[in-house]
Amino acid sequence: MAQEQKTLLAATDKLKEYKIKNTPQRQVILSYLMTSHDHPSIEMIFNYVRGNGFSVSLATVYNTLQLLIDNNLIIEIAADSGGHMRYDYFETPHYHVICVNCNKIVDVYNDKYKKNEEDAQLETGFQVFNSQYEVYGLCPECQKKLADNKSY
Amino acid sequence: MAQEQKTLLAATDKLKEYKIKNTPQRQVILSYLMTSHDHPSIEMIFNYVRGNGFSVSLATVYNTLQLLIDNNLIIEIAADSGGHMRYDYFETPHYHVICVNCNKIVDVYNDKYKKNEEDAQLETGFQVFNSQYEVYGLCPECQKKLADNKSY
DNA sequence: TACTTTTCGAGAATAGTTATCAATTACGCA
DNA sequence: TGCGTAATTGATAACTATTCTCGAAAAGTA
Ligand SMILES: [Mn+2]
Ligand SMILES: [Mn+2]
Ligand SMILES: [Zn+2]
Ligand SMILES: [Zn+2]
């Protein structure tokens, strides 16, 4: 069976597991997020779905993403200095290292940062659901690029 | 001397320190951020400045905030589920605990989360400038409110 | 299959943000 | 202190990301 088919089935299973009504649009969007590692924007998701032969509207992409966020299946990252939100399947806890120059997002699979959730709960009395950690800096490529430009 | 005057002077000093050209608008915006603890939105800042007898346009508020962000004087928090950005003077490292129901933002002055910056740098080769940590949950008031509603 | 409910989608409407550009202001320098 | 230049401001237009609308289509249920 093609890989593509497999991930569609995996997405279908997830939807069932979370008792979310199954539709082709939701399958494709979720399977894209489950397999892609590029933290896509709305536009990228929209183009991906249409590019794979499925019909979809922008409104449906927005609705579906909100649904997945509400079900804690994905997270939204405000990482794009162009003001675009980025989306990430969030099964395994990890944090994001973001290049302020090119908007690249790199995953770091280390959940140490999660330990602070307990502190936060004790300190504030909040009932804590989850947390996110973002690190800002310059990626190796942009470091090089900017160093080269300076040496004129 | 009135408190108000003092914080305006403090803001002026900060602007000098960072070699940012001094204007009345920048003074008021920065002094508001330096003293307020409510992580204001653009709209709140705009209203504050006008409410204190200074002329200002929305464009200037946006421009000034971007300038202060670029100088690492303030940070932008994507904490408002209504899609509004919030702004915070960020002299002392701290993280934010955010109520997903009422958008309240509570500061926790504990910089343990910052320790991960070193890991991130080693792991990714990024040149790290700063990092942010956000915890999501329900504030005590909203916990109570929602519990009451359920008990019908 | 028949029925009910949910979702989809095209486009309109909304709202947050950015661009424009002439007038004003800040500030280094004589 | 006063000039000259470059930067900033502000009213508003333009832009663009997101949400709304509502009739049509599809999903789930028995
Ligand atoms: Mn990720
Ligand atoms: Mn804060
Ligand atoms: Zn980069
Ligand atoms: Zn609350």
Side-chain angles (χ1 to χ4, degrees):
Chain A
M1 184 186 286
Q3 182 59 31
E4 198 175 275
Q5 289 300 314
K6 264 197 217 161
T7 65
L8 276 180
L9 286 182
T12 309
D13 287 348
K14 259 304 165 224
L15 292 173
K16 272 219 185 79
E17 185 186 333
Y18 280 75
K19 301 195 198 316
I20 300 170
K21 197 176 242 188
N22 185 30
T23 73
Q25 288 78 10
R26 288 172 179 183
Q27 273 174 46
V28 186
I29 291 171
L30 181 55
S31 76
Y32 178 33
L33 286 167
M34 285 173 82
T35 55
S36 106
H37 285 199
D38 43 54
H39 308 86
S41 65
I42 291 273
E43 200 188 1
M44 289 163 73
I45 295 167
F46 177 75
N47 289 333
Y48 177 89
V49 178
R50 291 218 165 163
N52 281 62
F54 292 83
S55 82
V56 79
S57 74
L58 224 29
T60 297
V61 178
Y62 278 102
N63 287 337
T64 302
L65 291 173
Q66 191 54 57
L67 184 72
L68 297 175
I69 289 169
D70 291 346
N71 281 276
N72 289 309
L73 271 167
I74 66 173
I75 59 168
E76 193 173 43
I77 315 168
D80 193 316
S81 50
H84 301 83
M85 289 291 157
R86 310 279 293 261
Y87 299 86
D88 194 14
Y89 186 64
F90 205 69
E91 183 165 60
T92 311
H94 62 277
Y95 64 88
H96 295 111
V97 187
I98 301 162
C99 180
V100 296
N101 190 243
C102 71
N103 289 327
K104 187 188 302 163
I105 303 177
V106 176
D107 289 325
V108 177
Y109 284 88
N110 179 328
D111 63 0
K112 256 196 271 177
Y113 75 95
K114 280 245 169 198
K115 298 228 171 74
N116 294 295
E117 288 183 12
E118 214 175 305
D119 283 359
Q121 180 139 353
L122 288 171
E123 187 79 29
T124 63
F126 273 55
Q127 178 187 349
V128 170
F129 301 139
N130 63 332
S131 64
Q132 274 182 243
Y133 182 53
E134 301 96 32
V135 179
Y136 297 94
L138 270 183
C139 74
E141 291 71 31
C142 287
Q143 285 172 50
K144 193 175 177 320
K145 220 178 298 170
L146 295 181
D148 288 353
N149 281 347
K150 268 188 192 156
S151 60
Y152 269 97
Chain B
M1 185 185 287
Q3 183 60 31
E4 199 177 274
Q5 289 298 316
K6 264 198 218 162
T7 65
L8 276 180
L9 286 182
T12 308
D13 287 348
K14 259 305 165 220
L15 292 174
K16 274 220 183 80
E17 185 186 332
Y18 280 75
K19 302 196 197 316
I20 300 169
K21 197 177 243 187
N22 186 29
T23 72
Q25 288 78 10
R26 288 172 179 182
Q27 274 174 45
V28 186
I29 291 171
L30 181 54
S31 75
Y32 177 36
L33 286 167
M34 285 173 82
T35 55
S36 106
H37 286 200
D38 42 56
H39 308 86
S41 65
I42 292 273
E43 200 188 1
M44 288 163 74
I45 295 167
F46 178 75
N47 290 333
Y48 177 89
V49 178
R50 289 217 166 162
N52 282 63
F54 292 83
S55 83
V56 80
S57 74
L58 263 180
T60 296
V61 177
Y62 278 103
N63 288 335
T64 301
L65 291 173
Q66 192 53 58
L67 184 73
L68 297 175
I69 289 169
D70 292 344
N71 281 277
N72 290 309
L73 271 166
I74 67 172
I75 59 169
E76 193 173 43
I77 316 168
D80 193 317
S81 51
H84 301 83
M85 289 294 157
R86 310 277 293 260
Y87 299 87
D88 195 14
Y89 185 65
F90 205 67
E91 184 166 59
T92 310
H94 62 277
Y95 64 87
H96 295 110
V97 187
I98 301 162
C99 180
V100 297
N101 191 243
C102 70
N103 290 326
K104 187 187 303 163
I105 303 177
V106 176
D107 290 324
V108 177
Y109 283 88
N110 179 328
D111 62 1
K112 257 195 272 178
Y113 75 95
K114 279 247 168 196
K115 297 226 172 73
N116 294 295
E117 288 183 11
E118 215 175 306
D119 284 358
Q121 180 139 352
L122 287 171
E123 188 78 29
T124 63
F126 272 56
Q127 178 188 348
V128 170
F129 301 139
N130 62 332
S131 65
Q132 274 182 243
Y133 182 53
E134 300 95 33
V135 180
Y136 297 94
L138 270 184
C139 74
E141 291 72 29
C142 287
Q143 284 173 50
K144 193 174 177 319
K145 221 178 298 172
L146 295 180
D148 288 354
N149 281 347
K150 269 187 190 157
S151 59
Y152 270 96

